[in-house]
Amino acid sequence: MAFNYNKLKGRIIEIWGSQKAFAHAMGMSEKTTSNKLSGKIAWNQEEICLSLEVLDLSVNDIPDYFFTTKVQ
């Protein structure tokens, strides 16, 4: 199943200004972050929880930001 991370990407730019800055805040490489945002690598639970913190989101936001399926 493929997920659409457009809303997450928008929030990253809104809060951090770039994927690079977000990757640094998450303790990830830019490449890993890029692969996660393109759906090549799955997000794990710890990363989702940390993302909530660094993006000032709540647990209720998880479905909208991490589990919106791509329309084929």
Side-chain angles (χ1 to χ4, degrees), residues 16 19-30 33:
W16 290 97
Q19 287 183 19
K20 180 179 181 177
F22 172 73
H24 181 70
M26 291 288 294
M28 285 194 252
S29 72
E30 290 177 64
T33 302

Side-chain angles (χ1 to χ4, degrees), residues 4-66:
N4 180 333
Y5 295 116
N6 288 340
K7 188 169 184 174
L8 179 59
K9 290 175 188 177
R11 183 68 175 186
I12 288 167
I13 298 305
E14 179 183 337
I15 300 295
W16 290 97
S18 69
Q19 287 183 19
K20 180 179 181 177
F22 172 73
H24 181 70
M26 291 288 294
M28 285 194 252
S29 72
E30 290 177 64
K31 180 71 173 168
T32 298
T33 302
S34 177
N35 284 335
K36 287 181 180 293
L37 292 170
S38 66
K40 294 177 183 173
I41 299 174
W43 293 87
N44 67 39
Q45 291 176 342
E46 288 178 14
E47 293 163 343
I48 291 172
C49 289
L50 182 56
S51 293
L52 296 179
E53 289 179 35
V54 302
L55 294 172
D56 194 29
L57 297 170
S58 76
V59 172
N60 295 329
D61 294 317
I62 291 173
D64 291 337
Y65 285 87
F66 291 95

